[in-house]
């Protein structure tokens, strides 16, 4: 073939990568591998085969770790924790730096081993996965170095149980282990059963790096091993990346255990192409969005939304580009699409596509190897937004598509999903891109690019794509906790009716506050509220499930509050504080009557409540996002945005201050809140609605439902339109709240049997603001 012919056809021959060194490592260390516990590889136990998905050939035997193996690994991590956590940040940074250097020194071995085990093209493992893994350890070495000075009031959590998937085995390992070690925690990690080899190679270099024994432990096996790890009583933190279904089970299994939890789950990410986009560039981006790693990417741009006017042209060009994709041996550096990880996954993809009855299915006209788990790049057009394949994650090289007419319609279709992991916006109009990006329900938005990742830029989802962030200072916070002094949390019951009641002649009933209006309880029941001296102070309505429903609907209807400026929210919070100050004597008297405290204590609670309102008014326009220093010609903006609707169960102690300590940060950040006030002293909170009514607060931003928290907690925590649940009432256990929160995998912040000093600094500050916000990372490359 002549040079001219090569340029005309763009054909090129194979460029195979040798697997000699990788197979030699397997033979030398295995071929049967035991778990890595306390710095040594255990003898193999019961084993199963790990296979090359491109050929079906067995690569090695992997141990199915038992419950006893997990116990030993957790015990080793527990023994290592005191010594590791007491090291200075600099000393931990040296270890992380050593790991990063060894990842560089063994880069080709890691890349080839990853490709053999996973089936992804070698150029992806070599040029993306391994360099990003190195970057994470370098970056977190820097965070470890700075941690003592930048976060002196934080402490590591303890032993971290980490479970990672098979699509990015080494990269997910680095996302989990690097921040955990930087923060001073120890780790027990379970890799996916399909792809354990690079985790075992990493364990080997931990020994080369001189990492202390027990700091990193690797237990291999299937879901049984993962379950034993995530439910282990001596694990303090669980970090999981995988399917939404498994994530939901982990949330339920860990409910009430006190374990810190982060979940990075499934996605059905929209890829939005406007009619002014550079079509050819958008198609190249789309190739990376959906056929990178055979579409086995949680944030894959698997839902193509094309503006109607260019849809026919775009689809025609896309099909032509699909026909040029090359499938074959993943070790061939000229291959575009490798093998699906396992026959089970291949069968799942096939079943989902074959049972679809909508639209038109186009499979790339490219040869598909007869041997191995290969699936052709596939495009399904003409689907309705509600079609099963537009809603369900396929996790394979299958792209589904529909059209839209206007930007608002594009946003509506994009957000019509239970997921919220990532999104891509393709347009030459930067104003349009930056208008659409904040309106998308996604933790990450790429503008005129896709699948950009970096250790400095937070990554994670909203909705049923999970909660928590990985990367940056935000990701490090998931492995730290404030070093606070706490006290046991004790319930305060309502004062019982006295034998000789002192009832005033004029009845006073405190109604609920829903949608900016006073509302009677749906059930029609009320309960008297007595003072400590036996005087009838009034009645509170006993709310039920329907009252919670009405309050959540009102909160949803006040969505415009999230779009107001921080300056406006600050003015209203200052106004609330001003009006509360004008009635401070009245509120102090109410607190004395409800709780029996002396005048000085009651006055102090009101003063601190006013101060707290001013504090969050000050924060309303100052809790800013950050521009991340990422190694591209572009910028990654980590923007804070409101969580949405927050359900809150207020504490018994400090009934006014406790309620306002939850309301103020929530609304300062643009959220709406449904509050269940103190059961023992509800009138301190119900009196607030008179203040709110005179402070220009829009109806529905704050809603108050009185009643027994034991009756209201689960309907509130389980409501599908509530985005986060905060529970500080001692009348409800954390387990019930967190189990109910698994309904839509909402974020939860619950007491662990320890109380907060609401009068002190621990009752306010950044952790409340962080709980009231999500981080959305918007990537904007620039340049010609």
């Amino acid at each position: 073939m002549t040079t001219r012919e090569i340029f005309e056809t763009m054909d090129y021959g194979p460029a195979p990568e040798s697997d000699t060194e990788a197979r030699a490592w397997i033979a030398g260390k295995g071929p049967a591998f035991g778990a890595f516990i306390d710095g040594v590889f255990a003898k193999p136990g019961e084993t199963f085969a790990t296979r090359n998905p491109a050929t079906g050939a067995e690569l090695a035997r992997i141990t199915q770790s038992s419950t006893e193996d997990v116990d030993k690994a957790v015990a080793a991590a527990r023994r290592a924790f005191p010594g590791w956590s007491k090291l200075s940040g600099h000393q931990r940074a040296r270890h992380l730096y050593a790991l990063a250097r060894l990842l560089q020194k063994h880069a080709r071995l890691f890349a080839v081993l990853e490709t053999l085990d996973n089936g992804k093209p070698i150029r992806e493992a070599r040029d993306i996965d391994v360099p990003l893994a190195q970057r994470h350890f370098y970056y977190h070495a820097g965070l470890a170095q700075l941690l003592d000075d930048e976060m002196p009031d934080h402490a590591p959590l303890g032993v971290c149980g980490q479970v990672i998937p098979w699509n990015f085995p080494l990269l997910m390992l680095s996302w989990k282990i690097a921040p955990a070690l930087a923060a001073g925690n120890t780790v027990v990690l379970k890799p996916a059963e399909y792809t354990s080899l690079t985790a075992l190679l990493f364990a080997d270099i931990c020994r080369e790096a001189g990492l202390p024994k027990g700091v990193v432990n690797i237990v291999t096996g299937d879901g049984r091993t993962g379950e034993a790890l995530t439910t282990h009583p001596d694990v303090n933190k669980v970090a999981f990346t995988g399917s939404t279904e498994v994530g939901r089970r982990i949330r339920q299994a860990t409910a009430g255990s006190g374990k810190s939890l982060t979940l990075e789950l499934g996605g059905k990410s929209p890829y939005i192409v406007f009619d002014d986009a550079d079509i050819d560039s958008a198609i190249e981006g789309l190739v990376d969005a959906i056929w990178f790693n055979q579409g086995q990417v949680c944030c894959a741009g698997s839902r193509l939304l094309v503006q109607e006017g260019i849809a026919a042209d775009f689809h025609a060009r896309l099909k032509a580009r699909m026909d040029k994709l090359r499938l074959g041996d993943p070790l061939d550096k000229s291959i575009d699409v490798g093998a699906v990880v396992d026959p089970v996954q291949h069968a799942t993809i096939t079943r989902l596509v074959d049972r679809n009855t909508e639209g038109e299915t186009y499979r790339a006209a490219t040869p598909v190897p007869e041997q191995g788990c290969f699936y052709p790049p596939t495009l399904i057009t003409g689907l309705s937004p509600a079609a099963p394949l537009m809603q369900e994650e396929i996790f394979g090289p299958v792209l589904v598509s529909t059209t839209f007419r206007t930007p608002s319609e594009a946003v509506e279709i994009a957000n019509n999903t239970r997921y919220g992991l990532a999104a891509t916006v393709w347009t030459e109009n930067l104003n349009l891109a930056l208008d659409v990006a904040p309106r998308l329900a996604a933790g990450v938005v790429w503008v005129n690019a896709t699948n950009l990742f970096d250790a400095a830029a937070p990554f994670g989802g909203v909705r049923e794509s999970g909660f928590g962030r990985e990367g940056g200072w935000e990701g490090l916070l998931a492995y730290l906790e404030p070093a606070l002094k706490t006290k046991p949390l004790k319930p305060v019951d309502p004062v019982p009716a006295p034998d000789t009641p002192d009832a005033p002649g004029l009845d006073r009933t405190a109604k609920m506050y829903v949608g900016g209006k006073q509302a009677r309880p749906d059930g029609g029941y009320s309960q008297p509220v007595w003072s400590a001296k036996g005087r009838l102070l009034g009645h509170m309505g006993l709310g039920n499930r329907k009252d919670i429903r009405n309050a959540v609907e009102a909160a949803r209807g006040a969505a415009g509050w999230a779009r107001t400026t921080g300056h406006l929210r600050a003015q209203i919070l200052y106004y609330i504080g001003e009006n509360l100050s004008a009635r401070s004597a009245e509120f102090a008297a109410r607190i004395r009557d409800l709780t029996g405290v002396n005048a000085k204590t009651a006055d102090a609670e009101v003063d601190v409540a006013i101060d707290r309102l001013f504090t969050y008014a000050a924060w309303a326009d100052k809790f800013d996002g950050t521009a991340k220093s990422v190694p591209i010609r572009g910028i990654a903006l980590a923007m804070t945005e409101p969580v949405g609707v927050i359900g809150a169960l207020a504490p018994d102690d400090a009934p006014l201050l406790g309620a306002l300590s939850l309301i103020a940060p929530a609304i300062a950040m643009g959220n709406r809140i449904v509050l269940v006030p103190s059961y023992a002293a509800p009138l301190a909170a119900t009196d607030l609605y008179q203040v709110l009514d005179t402070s220009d607060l829009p109806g529905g931003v704050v809603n108050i439902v009185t009643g027994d928290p034991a009756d209201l907690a689960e309907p509130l925590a389980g409501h599908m339109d509530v985005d986060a649940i905060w529970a500080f009432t001692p009348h409800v256990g954390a387990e019930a709240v967190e189990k109910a929160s698994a309904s839509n995998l909402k974020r939860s912040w619950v007491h662990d049997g320890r109380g907060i000093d609401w009068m002190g600094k621990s009752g306010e500050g950044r952790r409340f603001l962080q709980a009231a916000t999500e981080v959305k990372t918007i990537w904007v490359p620039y340049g010609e």
Side-chain angles (χ1 to χ4, degrees):
M1 181 178 288
T2 66
T3 302
R4 181 184 181 87
E5 290 171 332
I6 291 173
F7 276 102
E8 287 178 349
T9 65
M10 294 303 289
D11 286 337
Y12 44 91
E17 174 77 34
S18 172
D19 63 359
T20 302
E21 289 78 7
R23 291 190 179 277
W25 180 83
I26 292 172
K29 298 294 181 179
F33 289 85
F36 181 73
I37 299 173
D38 208 17
V40 298
F41 283 98
K43 291 182 179 180
E46 175 191 348
T47 63
F48 57 90
T50 184
R51 299 181 182 277
N52 182 344
T55 65
E58 182 175 312
L59 295 170
R61 304 290 301 182
I62 306 295
T63 288
Q64 171 61 48
S65 296
S66 64
T67 302
E68 290 74 19
D69 294 326
V70 172
D71 289 342
K72 290 177 182 177
V74 172
R78 177 60 60 198
R79 287 193 300 272
F81 174 69
W84 179 253
S85 61
K86 285 182 174 63
L87 293 179
S88 69
H90 170 67
Q91 289 171 312
R92 291 198 299 272
R94 290 171 68 97
H95 285 291
L96 287 160
Y97 174 77
L99 289 170
R101 292 288 292 131
L102 285 166
L103 280 169
Q104 286 183 312
K105 292 175 183 178
H106 297 298
R108 189 56 63 95
L109 176 58
F110 272 106
V112 174
L113 197 61
E114 193 84 317
T115 292
L116 284 173
D117 208 19
N118 172 272
K120 65 177 61 188
I122 182 64
R123 62 184 181 83
E124 293 179 6
R126 179 196 64 197
D127 299 340
I128 299 172
D129 293 25
V130 175
L132 269 175
Q134 298 162 4
R135 162 74 172 151
H136 271 266
F137 279 95
Y138 273 122
Y139 181 83
H140 285 89
L143 291 188
Q145 180 75 27
L146 301 174
L147 183 60
D148 293 343
D149 291 330
E150 294 298 313
M151 292 185 174
D153 298 325
H154 286 74
L157 296 168
V159 175
C160 299
Q162 303 176 325
V163 180
I164 59 174
W166 42 259
N167 54 343
F168 292 94
L170 180 64
L171 186 55
M172 292 295 100
L173 176 149
S174 70
W175 283 20
K176 297 287 189 292
I177 290 182
L181 298 191
N185 302 281
T186 54
V187 167
V188 180
L189 179 134
K190 191 202 87 70
E193 62 267 33
Y194 295 150
T195 52
S196 300
L197 291 179
T198 47
L200 294 168
L201 174 56
F202 180 82
D204 206 23
I205 72 166
C206 284
R207 299 192 297 184
E208 289 186 45
L211 202 67
K213 292 181 178 181
V215 171
V216 169
N217 306 270
I218 309 289
V219 290
T220 54
D222 59 18
R224 292 170 292 174
T225 306
E227 182 179 8
L229 178 58
T230 56
T231 59
H232 198 286
D234 209 23
V235 166
N236 305 103
K237 155 83 180 184
V238 172
F240 172 78
T241 297
S243 73
T244 295
E245 290 69 26
V246 175
R248 197 187 317 277
R249 292 202 297 270
I250 290 174
R251 168 70 288 176
Q252 292 169 334
T254 58
S257 65
K259 290 179 171 62
S260 176
L261 178 64
T262 49
L263 300 172
E264 197 264 280
L265 307 175
K268 194 69 177 178
S269 301
Y271 190 99
I272 306 170
V273 182
F274 288 96
D275 57 9
D276 66 342
D278 180 333
I279 292 180
D280 290 329
S281 295
I283 286 173
E284 288 306 307
L286 185 56
V287 168
D288 283 337
I290 183 58
W291 292 302
F292 171 60
N293 199 27
Q294 299 72 253
Q296 300 168 132
V297 184
C298 53
C299 56
S302 56
R303 279 191 301 152
L304 171 63
L305 313 182
V306 187
Q307 199 152 16
E308 201 170 83
I310 63 168
D313 182 27
F314 190 92
H315 288 146
R317 294 199 216 182
L318 176 59
K319 291 173 183 177
R321 180 67 179 90
M322 290 169 63
D323 292 344
K324 298 293 184 181
L325 294 173
R326 294 165 62 113
L327 277 70
D329 179 7
L331 284 173
D332 184 345
K333 291 184 280 289
S334 66
I335 288 301
D336 298 305
V337 181
V340 174
V341 72
D342 189 83
V344 172
Q345 182 63 17
H346 188 279
T348 299
I349 298 167
T350 302
R351 182 181 68 256
L352 289 171
V353 174
D354 288 352
R355 74 184 183 190
N356 174 61
T357 58
E358 280 193 45
E360 297 180 1
T361 301
Y362 181 82
R363 291 181 172 85
T366 184
V368 179
E370 295 182 2
Q371 183 185 31
C373 296
F374 292 92
Y375 195 94
T378 301
L379 168 66
I380 305 175
T381 56
L383 292 176
S384 64
L389 290 188
M390 288 289 286
Q391 295 292 325
E392 297 304 319
E393 188 176 31
I394 302 171
F395 222 66
V398 180
L399 176 67
V400 297
S401 181
T402 192
T403 60
F404 66 90
R405 293 181 179 179
T406 66
S408 293
E409 186 182 12
V411 171
E412 187 175 353
I413 295 172
N415 290 343
N416 181 27
T417 173
R418 61 194 177 103
Y419 298 110
L421 189 52
T424 298
V425 176
W426 214 283
T427 173
E428 290 297 290
N429 185 342
L430 188 58
N431 287 333
L432 175 61
L434 294 181
D435 174 57
V436 168
R439 295 158 61 191
L440 295 172
V444 179
V445 179
W446 295 293
V447 175
N448 293 338
T450 195
N451 281 341
L452 297 178
F453 307 99
D454 186 65
F459 180 88
V462 296
R463 295 180 170 177
E464 294 191 34
S465 289
F467 47 81
R469 293 295 179 264
E470 295 180 298
W473 286 103
E474 296 85 351
L476 191 69
L477 276 172
Y479 289 92
L480 294 164
E481 63 181 355
L484 299 173
K485 292 182 179 179
T486 59
K487 57 183 180 181
L489 189 63
K490 297 179 180 179
V492 179
D493 294 319
V495 176
D499 294 332
T500 54
D502 177 12
L506 186 64
D507 175 68
R508 182 177 182 184
T509 300
K511 296 182 177 67
M512 298 178 187
Y513 189 62
V514 176
K517 299 177 181 179
Q518 298 180 42
R520 288 185 172 88
D522 171 73
Y525 289 97
S526 296
Q527 179 172 300
V529 180
W530 301 95
S531 76
K533 295 181 179 180
R535 184 162 62 92
L536 181 63
L537 302 176
H539 289 78
M540 71 162 177
L542 292 176
N544 61 19
R545 183 180 296 271
K546 188 174 180 182
D547 294 308
I548 291 293
R549 184 201 69 184
N550 293 341
V552 173
E553 286 181 0
R556 278 289 167 199
W561 180 250
R563 297 189 291 274
T564 58
T565 65
H567 172 65
L568 176 61
R569 296 195 297 271
Q571 286 183 294
I572 290 174
L573 280 161
Y574 282 129
Y575 200 7
I576 295 171
E578 176 187 336
N579 285 330
L580 179 60
S581 178
R583 298 175 58 180
S584 58
E586 176 187 337
F587 274 87
R590 173 68 86 185
I591 292 170
R592 292 199 306 272
D593 286 341
L594 286 166
T595 63
V597 298
N598 59 38
K600 182 179 180 180
T601 301
D603 290 343
E605 181 174 341
V606 176
D607 288 342
V608 174
I610 296 167
D611 179 270
R612 197 142 292 167
L613 286 163
F614 271 59
T615 294
Y616 289 114
W619 273 117
D621 57 359
K622 300 176 186 65
F623 193 62
D624 301 322
T626 56
K628 299 295 184 176
S629 181
V630 291
I632 65 165
R633 186 165 175 76
I635 192 168
L637 302 171
M639 309 297 292
T640 57
E641 60 182 24
V643 171
V645 175
I646 297 175
L649 301 152
D652 278 343
D653 50 332
L656 174 67
L657 177 60
L660 280 174
S661 294
L662 304 181
I663 291 172
I667 67 174
M669 295 296 101
N671 301 282
R672 294 86 72 202
I673 189 168
V674 177
L675 179 85
V676 177
S678 164
Y679 186 39
L683 302 185
T686 56
D687 286 352
L688 272 176
Y689 59 63
Q690 299 166 3
V691 173
L692 301 178
D693 279 342
T694 57
S695 301
D696 295 339
L697 186 72
V701 174
V702 173
N703 304 273
I704 300 172
V705 179
T706 55
D708 188 344
D711 296 330
L712 301 176
E714 289 192 47
L716 185 58
H719 200 293
M720 296 294 284
D721 274 340
V722 172
D723 302 295
I725 184 73
W726 299 350
F728 295 99
T729 175
H731 296 282
V732 180
E735 182 177 1
V737 172
E738 290 186 325
K739 276 189 175 178
S741 75
S743 60
N744 63 343
L745 287 167
K746 58 178 62 68
R747 291 170 54 174
S748 63
W749 186 15
V750 301
H751 70 80
D752 58 356
R754 309 291 293 178
I756 290 176
D757 178 10
W758 298 105
M759 296 288 289
K761 286 297 181 183
S762 64
E764 65 177 4
R766 284 185 174 271
R767 65 176 180 150
F768 287 83
L769 298 169
Q770 289 157 356
T773 53
E774 293 282 10
V775 175
K776 174 180 285 181
T777 304
I778 303 175
W779 290 76
V780 187
Y782 50 71
E784 293 294 330

